[in-house]
Amino acid sequence: MSQTFPKPNLTPLSFQRIETEHQIRRAEEFYNNLNRRRTVRDFSDEEIPLEIIEKAILTAGTAPSGANMQPWRFIVVKDKKTKRRIREAAEREEYESYHGRMSEKWLRRLATLGTDEHKPFLEIAPFLIVVFRINSITEDGETEPTYYSQESVGIAVGMLLAALHNAGLATLTHTPSPMKFLQEILKRPKTEIPFVLIPVGYPATDAKVPDIRRKSLSEIMQIV
Ligand code: IYR
């Protein structure tokens, strides 16, 4: 049986060439900006403009993806009751994780970060963005997997965090485990797998963060 595939549908690239000096300055400024991002666990309940969330999700949606399938869904949770249900379910799972499911080695690592099963930020932060990974699609009754969806959604989430930080907001990448309850509470189909839960808002005025250091360039980069 001979297959007929669609022809490539190509259009001229719109590429902005930047002067070298300006390139170097922008690279430096972008690094300095992102180097100020910290994972925040102490949130204020102060409202934030929905427009920023929308723009940041649009930014995330520009991420490259396997076969351009854009296998992501961003559920923005603002409703207080829904946030409470998410907190209660997450804390139930996290209690089990901190009391038996996580290894001693793992718990030792987390001890210096000061995390535990209590997740008040899930109710306090004005928005929770729950990111789902779409693992298959059905078209004309035919089901097909998405390709490289873990990588694609991971890249999109990185861009989302950068966009939110750039807009002056604090975020936390929270992965209560298992996360199946998010599928149920947010009524997502089985093909949408919870990927990460991101509280977004301003930090509390007295917010504290772990005193960590980032690896140096020579530790993370090698030229061959
Ligand atoms: N999901 C748990 C545990 C946890 C795991 C890792 I890996 C972290 O970097 C931080 C926490 C929690 O959110 O507390």
Side-chain angles (χ1 to χ4, degrees), residues 41 94 97-98 102 106 110 113 115-119 121 172-177:
R41 293 189 173 78
E94 293 291 83
S97 296
Y98 280 91
M102 287 192 278
W106 191 350
L110 296 186
L113 303 178
T115 61
D116 61 25
E117 71 272 27
H118 302 291
K119 306 298 176 191
F121 50 73
L172 163 63
T173 43
H174 179 42
T175 51
S177 178

Side-chain angles (χ1 to χ4, degrees), residues 23 31 41 47 63 72 79 85-86 91 99 102-103 110 112 116 145 154 159 167 187 198 200 204 210 220:
Q23 269 184 300
Y31 163 63
R41 293 189 173 78
E47 293 294 323
W72 38 66
D79 178 63
R85 286 185 63 199
I86 290 176
E91 287 185 336
H99 295 85
M102 287 192 278
S103 66
L110 296 186
T112 56
D116 61 25
M159 291 168 64
K187 300 188 177 67
I198 307 175
V200 187
I220 63 175

Side-chain angles (χ1 to χ4, degrees), residues 28-53:
E28 171 82 19
E29 284 169 3
F30 193 69
Y31 163 63
N32 288 338
N33 182 12
L34 279 194
N35 194 28
R36 282 191 298 269
R37 189 200 58 79
R38 291 301 311 266
T39 286
V40 166
R41 293 189 173 78
D42 302 327
F43 281 87
S44 149
D45 63 1
E46 187 179 341
E47 293 294 323
I48 61 170
L50 178 63
E51 209 181 328
I52 300 178
I53 301 279

Side-chain angles (χ1 to χ4, degrees), residues 169-189:
L169 294 174
T171 52
L172 163 63
T173 43
H174 179 42
T175 51
S177 178
M179 284 197 277
K180 205 174 150 36
F181 66 87
L182 290 169
Q183 229 172 6
E184 287 151 17
I185 294 175
L186 299 174
K187 300 188 177 67
R188 302 316 304 167

Side-chain angles (χ1 to χ4, degrees), residues 8 23 54 56 65-66 70 99 110 114 128 131 145 163 199 204 218 222:
Q23 269 184 300
E54 290 173 341
S65 64
Q70 306 173 45
H99 295 85
L110 296 186
L128 308 177
V131 184
S218 63
Q222 237 182 64

